[in-house]
């Protein structure tokens, strides 16, 4: 029996085998995840209904069980609203942040470094997020 905030067995297994610099994707309900699967990625569908589960809820859970050092979002058109990016930044805190052109973003997901793709029921546009796994710091380590 797991006693962590995240108890989904497939997610926990994929995170356990995701080392430093592995990529974890939180996908919105519109991303064609079947076309995004890379050679080392595990797919998890949490999109039971529109809005369930949303991307922020999934990100909160991932942050409770896995160190994250970087984040990449898809660039949005100038006229588009992507307030969810601000919410991501607030939750992620001090990590490297990048916005990537749409087709380059899709290619990034397909890389061998992607170990987990979680499709959510998120309905907001431009909510796709690539996380870079960090390292677990030892208690005596503080400045690297």
């Amino acid at each position: 029996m797991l006693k962590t905030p995240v108890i989904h067995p497939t997610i926990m297994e994929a995170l356990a085998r995701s080392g430093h610099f592995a990529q974890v994707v939180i996908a919105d309900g519109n991303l064609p995840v079947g076309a995004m699967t890379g050679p080392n990625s595990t797919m998890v569908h949490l999109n039971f209904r529109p809005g369930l589960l949303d991307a922020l809820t999934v990100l909160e859970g991932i942050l409770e069980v896995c160190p994250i050092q970087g984040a990449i979002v898809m660039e949005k058109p100038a006229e588009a609203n992507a307030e969810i990016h601000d919410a991501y930044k607030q939750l992620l805190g001090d990590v490297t942040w990048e916005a990537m052109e749409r087709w380059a973003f899709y290619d990034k997901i397909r890389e061998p470094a992607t170990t987990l793709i979680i499709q959510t029921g998120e309905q907001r546009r431009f909510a796709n997020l690539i996380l870079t796994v960090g390292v677990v710091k030892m208690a005596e380590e503080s400045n690297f």
Side-chain angles (χ1 to χ4, degrees):
M1 178 55 78
L2 295 175
K3 192 177 173 183
T4 67
V6 177
I7 60 172
H8 192 286
T10 306
I11 291 173
M12 292 299 288
E13 184 223 346
L15 290 175
R17 61 180 173 75
S18 297
H20 191 208
F21 296 117
Q23 295 175 165
V24 173
V25 177
I26 299 175
D28 64 28
N30 296 306
L31 187 73
V33 294
M36 300 287 133
T37 304
N40 299 314
S41 60
T42 297
M43 183 82 62
V44 174
H45 298 278
L46 297 180
N47 52 336
F48 180 68
R49 300 175 56 166
L52 296 177
L53 289 165
D54 67 78
L56 291 173
T57 300
V58 172
L59 176 58
E60 288 170 348
I62 297 298
L63 291 174
E64 291 198 49
V65 297
C66 187
I68 300 299
Q69 69 180 36
I72 304 170
V73 292
M74 186 187 304
E75 287 178 348
K76 66 171 192 65
E79 67 279 1
N81 178 354
E83 291 176 359
I84 193 164
H85 293 182
D86 294 330
Y88 286 156
K89 286 179 181 178
Q90 184 176 6
L91 282 173
L92 287 163
D94 188 27
V95 302
T96 61
W97 184 265
E98 183 180 350
M100 188 175 279
E101 184 274 329
R102 177 184 180 183
W103 300 108
F105 184 86
Y106 291 163
D107 289 341
K108 185 80 172 159
I109 292 172
R110 292 184 189 99
E111 289 182 357
T114 299
T115 55
L116 178 60
I117 301 172
I118 304 170
Q119 184 152 45
T120 68
E122 182 62 62
Q123 296 300 292
R124 288 174 277 196
R125 294 183 37 108
F126 304 102
N128 299 305
L129 177 66
I130 301 171
L131 302 169
T132 303
V133 175
V135 296
V136 177
K137 295 181 180 176
M138 306 300 288
E140 63 273 4
E141 297 175 327
S142 60
N143 294 324
F144 71 94

